Structure formats: structure tokens, C-alpha cells
């Protein structure tokens, strides 16, 4: 490996598709460890993205790295079914211990999108029903099946015409709750009205195979719904024989302060899609359901060549051990509360921060125009760029690119949170100062 490959970075526009190479901030790195990236420029960057909620145990945790090395000495590839190996069976057994009750049978794949595809296929196969209901703002992936239920941004669906066998209703609208109203009551009552309209005018419940929802809105803006809202979805599904799918690709493995958001909200789905934090960065995911459901999904109805790769499964087993031994789920809950307290103080002193939305270490910081209160994606990018210049990496989300995602590794310490949020505070104040200066010059 070359020590300096900056010439390759210069060739990047010719080598990689724009859809792969032009995300923010496109930081060339040579190494990652713990909560840090080490840049090609020789600088050290505090990572508040954890590979988009994937490196929950931190980058290159020694126990995970050793598990990968040991596994590579034994077996590089399955494929499962043609052969069978210990790591995939042991992983299934260990996952059963941390998942909600009755979610005890697994189809392993490579990515979150694949897990979603599997979940939808399973639901349709078992119910023999054609339609799916999803929620506006949710992100479930970009393959055509997953894209039919992804509505976080219209640009993801542009020119692609995903199949029309899906209907959408609104996600929990916390911001639309009237002053003085209880969000639990408001959002739940609105949900009931939305489903009444859907079932009376567009599709009968007897035709719906499943509902799929992110228990916490991810790419769509980090919105934490009321617990009663999710419970009402569970109730509606149970009433009509509709299978409930939780997309826990981003919320799983301690991100919300519990093993899974299902446990944080005390709502158990029929099917769950899990990925991201499962193997500390190696490609692995799973569609999870009860044995009773999975047994109705026979050989040949779904398949995989690389899913459940033995090395990835070994990494996942080590990941589960680290999460338990180092009490990282408890740390997620505690550090999340600590970070939110500091962010709420910053919010009170900064008019560009509209709201702070959080559960565990899944934190969204909304950036708004201080005059209009409207989402301001341009301001967000300026703030993120300033943070990067100071050595801290954040990511973004939201329909207008207006929400800063703060999703550090679950190994994060108070000192690292203090440093990262101090940099964010500096960036926010610098942006506000430049905005004021610009306004004076234009007046």
C-alpha cells in the first residue's frame, strides 16, 4: 500500500461513480482506531459518525480484529447451505439472547437493504397478500423493492418507478403538535385517522401483507416518535392480521441505549431487519422472525451467495462480546443523556439550532434559519465544514439536509464528547458571526 496516494484522490472523478464518491465530506483516510480517523493529510479526526452508525464498538476494536484474523485462518467463504460452519450457527444462538422474545430465526445477508428485501418477501410469502404500507420520511434502502417503501427523499426514486404495491401514511409529526397538546395523544389520534382514510379509500386491510417502519426515523431526520404511536401501529397490525416489520438497521446494537429500539419502546414486531452495528463494519445483516414464520419460507424462495460470511459472523460474535463486556449499551444511554444536556444549553444560546432530538447516542441537531425558523441545509453544510477544519467529523440527514447526525461509537467518553461539542459550538458561533457580518454588508 502506498504511503501517499493523493494522486489517486485526484483521479477519483474518473474512477468512481459520482453516486459513490461525492458524499460529504469525502475525507481521505489511511487508518481508523477507536473514535478517530487518521487522514491522508496527517491529521487526526474525532469521528462522530461511526461509519454511519456501524462501528458501534469503535474502529478496529482489538477483540474484533483478532476474531477476523483467527476466522480468516480457517474459512474465507461459505456459502451457507452448501456447507455449514460454526460461526453462523453460534451467532444465531447468541443473537436470540439479545433480541425481543420470539424473534429467534435468521436469514443472514450482507446489507441493510438486503435485510429489508428479505423482510418484505417473507411477509408477502407468508400472508399471500400483495400490498405494503410504509411511513413518509422513512429510509429502507435503494434497491427497487426497498425503494418502493423508501420516502425520505424523492430524489432516491427519481426516474426509477419503484413498484406501485406500496402505500404511505405520515410518520409521527411531533413538530406539528399544537401548543399545549400531548404529543402522545396528538400523534396517536392522527395515526388512527390516517389509517381510517387509507383503509376506506385506497386499500383494504385484508390486502396488506405488512407495515414497515423505522422505530426512530433515521436518514429522514432523526425523529423519535411517542411510544404510544408505535404501540398503536402494533395494535392495528394485530387487529388485521398484518405483519409488522421494524427496520432496525440503524437503531440496533445499543444505538438507542437498549439492544434494539423495540425494547426501548416496548413494542415487538413480527419481523426485524438488522445490520450496520452487527459486525463492527464487516458486511452482514439479517432478516429475523419467529421459527413459525420462517418455516413457511421454503428452500428456493430466497437465497444468498455471500450472506452470513464466516469471517463476518466471527466479527459479529466478537462485537456482541465487546458490547456486553464493556457495558457499551449502558454507556450509550449515559453518554447520550450527557451530550443532550450540553446540546440543549447550546440550543438556548444559538438561534440556528431549531431542535435537539435524541434517544441514546442517536442524536439529531436541527439547523434552521434564525429569522424564518425554516430548515437550512446551506447553514448546516457551512457548520459541518467548519467542524471538519477543526478535526471533528459529523454527518447530515433530513429531507432538506438540515439535521446534523451525531452518532459516535458507543465507546465514546465524556472527554471526547466535550471536545466534539466544543468544536461544534465554535463552528455554530463562527457561522452566526459570518451571517451577521454578511447581513451588515448587504444593508
Amino acid at each position: 500500500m502506498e504511503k501517499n496516494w493523493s494522486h489517486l484522490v485526484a483521479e477519483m472523478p474518473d474512477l468512481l461513480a459520482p453516486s459513490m464518491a461525492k458524499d460529504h465530506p469525502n475525507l481521505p483516510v489511511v487508518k481508523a482506531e477507536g473514535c478517530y480517523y487518521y487522514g491522508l493529510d496527517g491529521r487526526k479526526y474525532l469521528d462522530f459518525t461511526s461509519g454511519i452508525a456501524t462501528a458501534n464498538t469503535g474502529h478496529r476494536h482489538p477483540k474484533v480484529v483478532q476474531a477476523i484474523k483467527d476466522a480468516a485462518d480457517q474459512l474465507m467463504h461459505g456459502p451457507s447451505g452448501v456447507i455449514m460452519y460454526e460461526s453462523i450457527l453460534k451467532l444465531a444462538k447468541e443473537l436470540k439472547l439479545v433480541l425481543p422474545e420470539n424473534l429467534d430465526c435468521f436469514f443472514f445477508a450482507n446489507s441493510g437493504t438486503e435485510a429489508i428485501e428479505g423482510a418484505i418477501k417473507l411477509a408477502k410469502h407468508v400472508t399471500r397478500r400483495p400490498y405494503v404500507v410504509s411511513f413518509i420520511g422513512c429510509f429502507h434502502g435503494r434497491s427497487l423493492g426497498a425503494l418502493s417503501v423508501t420516502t425520505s427523499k424523492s430524489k432516491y426514486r427519481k426516474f426509477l418507478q419503484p413498484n406501485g404495491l406500496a402505500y404511505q401514511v405520515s410518520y409521527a409529526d411531533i413538530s406539528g403538535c399544537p401548543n399545549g397538546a400531548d404529543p402522545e395523544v396528538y400523534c396517536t389520534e392522527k395515526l388512527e385517522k390516517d389509517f381510517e382514510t387509507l383503509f376506506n379509500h385506497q386499500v383494504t386491510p385484508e390486502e396488506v401483507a405488512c407495515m414497515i417502519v423505522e422505530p426512530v426515523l433515521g436518514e429522514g431526520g432523526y425523529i423519535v416518535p411517542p411510544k404510544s404511536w408505535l404501540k398503536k401501529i402494533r395494535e392495528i397490525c394485530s387487529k388485521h392480521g398484518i405483519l409488522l416489520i421494524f427496520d432496525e438497521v440503524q437503531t440496533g446494537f445499543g444505538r438507542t441505549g437498549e439492544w434494539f429500539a423495540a425494547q426501548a419502546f416496548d413494542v415487538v414486531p413480527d419481523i426485524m431487519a438488522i445490520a450496520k452495528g452487527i459486525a463492527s463494519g464487516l458486511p452482514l445483516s439479517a432478516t429475523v422472525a419467529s421459527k413459525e414464520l420462517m418455516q413457511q419460507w421454503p428452500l428456493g424462495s430466497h437465497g444468498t451467495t455471500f450472506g452470513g460470511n464466516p469471517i463476518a459472523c466471527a466479527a459479529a460474535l466478537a462485537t456482541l462480546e465487546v458490547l456486553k463486556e464493556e457495558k457499551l449499551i449502558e454507556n450509550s444511554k449515559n453518554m447520550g443523556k450527557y451530550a443532550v444536556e450540553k446540546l440543549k444549553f447550546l440550543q438556548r444560546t444559538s438561534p440556528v439550532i431549531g431542535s435537539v432530538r435524541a434517544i441514546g447516542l442517536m442524536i439529531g441537531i436541527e439547523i434552521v434559519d434564525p429569522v424564518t425558523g425554516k430548515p437550512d441545509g446551506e447553514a448546516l453544510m457551512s457548520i459541518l465544514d467548519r467542524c471538519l477544519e477543526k478535526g471533528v467529523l459529523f454527518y447530515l440527514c433530513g429531507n432538506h439536509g438540515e439535521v446534523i447526525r451525531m452518532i459516535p461509537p458507543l465507546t465514546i467518553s465524556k472527554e471526547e464528547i466535550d471536545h466534539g461539542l466544543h468544536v461544534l459550538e465554535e463552528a455554530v458561533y463562527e457561522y452566526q458571526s459570518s451571517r451577521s457580518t454578511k447581513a451588515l454588508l448587504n444593508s
Side-chain angles (χ1 to χ4, degrees):
M1 187 71 70
E2 295 180 66
K3 289 185 178 179
N4 190 333
W5 40 271
S6 55
H7 63 287
L8 289 174
V9 176
E11 293 180 61
M12 183 176 61
D14 298 321
L15 298 172
L16 298 178
S19 55
M20 169 163 272
K22 287 200 170 182
D23 204 351
H24 173 85
N26 221 327
L27 175 69
V29 303
V30 296
K31 181 181 175 182
E33 190 166 1
C35 293
Y36 295 91
Y37 281 120
Y38 295 81
L40 184 61
D41 58 7
R43 296 180 63 196
K44 181 179 176 181
Y45 294 85
L46 179 59
D47 176 27
F48 274 15
T49 73
S50 57
I52 312 184
T54 296
N56 287 8
T57 59
H59 295 289
R60 295 179 58 253
H61 190 287
K63 192 161 193 171
V64 177
V65 171
Q66 190 60 52
I68 292 168
K69 291 178 178 179
D70 292 344
D73 283 338
Q74 302 300 319
L75 193 63
M76 292 282 286
H77 174 56
S80 63
V82 176
I83 64 168
M84 194 47 63
Y85 39 93
E86 180 185 20
S87 60
I88 194 171
L89 297 173
K90 190 173 180 182
L91 177 59
K93 194 167 184 178
E94 291 297 321
L95 283 171
K96 284 169 58 175
L97 301 177
V98 298
L99 280 156
E101 191 176 0
N102 293 327
L103 294 173
D104 56 9
C105 199
F106 302 84
F107 185 100
F108 288 105
N110 305 286
S111 68
T113 298
E114 288 183 52
I116 294 297
E117 293 281 351
I120 294 172
K121 286 178 70 176
L122 173 61
K124 288 191 173 187
H125 191 97
V126 168
T127 63
R128 306 295 196 266
R129 298 177 180 183
Y131 294 106
V132 179
V133 173
S134 65
F135 294 80
I136 295 173
C138 287
F139 180 87
H140 301 295
R142 294 181 233 209
S143 60
L144 281 174
L147 196 60
S148 70
V149 291
T150 288
T151 55
S152 56
K153 291 183 176 71
S154 58
K155 70 178 182 180
Y156 298 150
R157 300 159 68 96
K158 190 176 182 180
F159 306 133
L160 297 175
Q161 295 84 41
N163 74 66
L165 298 179
Y167 294 92
Q168 279 79 39
V169 295
S170 298
Y171 200 82
D173 183 15
I174 308 295
S175 62
C177 184
N179 289 335
D182 183 345
E184 295 269 351
V185 175
Y186 170 78
C187 289
T188 304
E189 289 181 348
K190 185 178 184 304
L191 179 76
E192 289 182 293
K193 291 176 184 176
D194 287 345
F195 273 109
E196 183 179 356
T197 300
L198 179 73
F199 291 153
N200 283 339
H201 295 280
Q202 296 188 77
V203 63
T204 65
E206 293 78 19
E207 297 175 281
V208 177
C210 58
M211 293 187 198
I212 182 168
V213 65
E214 288 182 290
V216 179
L217 199 66
E219 204 267 350
Y222 274 39
I223 294 171
V224 184
K227 183 180 289 189
S228 61
W229 186 80
L230 285 170
K231 285 184 175 294
K232 179 56 68 173
I233 294 173
R234 173 72 276 179
E235 181 185 315
I236 292 169
C237 286
S238 298
K239 177 181 178 181
H240 296 290
I242 298 168
L243 297 176
L244 176 58
I245 301 170
F246 269 12
D247 178 345
E248 293 240 26
V249 169
Q250 189 165 172
T251 52
F253 299 95
R255 181 55 55 186
T256 65
E258 300 289 346
W259 276 100
F260 296 94
Q263 293 145 336
F265 290 94
D266 193 26
V267 177
V268 180
D270 300 292
I271 306 171
M272 189 183 287
I274 58 177
K276 285 192 181 289
I278 190 172
S280 296
L282 266 65
L284 186 66
S285 68
T287 300
V288 192
S290 66
K291 290 187 289 290
E292 290 74 20
L293 281 181
M294 284 291 195
Q295 285 168 358
Q296 299 175 59
W297 206 22
L299 176 66
S301 58
H302 198 46
T304 180
T305 298
F306 296 105
N309 172 272
I311 297 176
C313 287
L317 284 165
T319 296
L320 293 177
E321 288 180 16
V322 171
L323 288 169
K324 293 174 183 177
E325 291 171 358
E326 299 186 10
K327 296 181 172 55
L328 296 186
I329 294 168
E330 182 180 346
N331 196 58
S332 174
K333 188 179 293 185
N334 293 337
M335 291 301 97
K337 289 179 180 177
Y338 178 73
V340 167
E341 286 175 5
K342 295 180 75 69
L343 285 165
K344 290 284 189 182
F345 178 80
L346 178 58
Q347 180 189 9
R348 290 193 292 270
T349 60
S350 172
V352 303
I353 297 180
S355 64
V356 176
R357 309 187 286 247
I359 180 169
L361 279 171
M362 188 173 181
I363 302 170
I365 307 156
E366 181 189 32
I367 303 300
V368 299
D369 184 296
V371 177
T372 66
K374 292 182 178 180
D376 194 337
E378 186 177 336
L380 177 140
M381 292 307 300
S382 176
I383 291 167
L384 292 197
D385 287 342
R386 293 170 191 273
C387 287
L388 189 67
E389 289 170 6
K390 299 171 185 292
V392 180
L393 178 62
F394 288 93
Y395 197 55
L396 66 154
C397 65
N399 187 255
H400 304 280
E402 80 282 11
V403 180
I404 297 174
R405 287 196 231 197
M406 179 177 168
I407 40 175
L410 307 189
T411 55
I412 197 81
S413 67
K414 276 188 176 182
E415 292 74 20
E416 288 163 332
I417 287 176
D418 286 343
H419 173 63
L421 293 186
H422 175 70
V423 165
L424 176 63
E425 182 179 12
E426 284 186 340
V428 166
Y429 288 150
E430 285 176 10
Y431 169 75
Q432 289 176 173
S433 177
S434 68
R435 193 178 189 277
S436 298
T437 301
K438 187 176 180 180
L440 283 172
L441 290 173
N442 292 335
S443 62

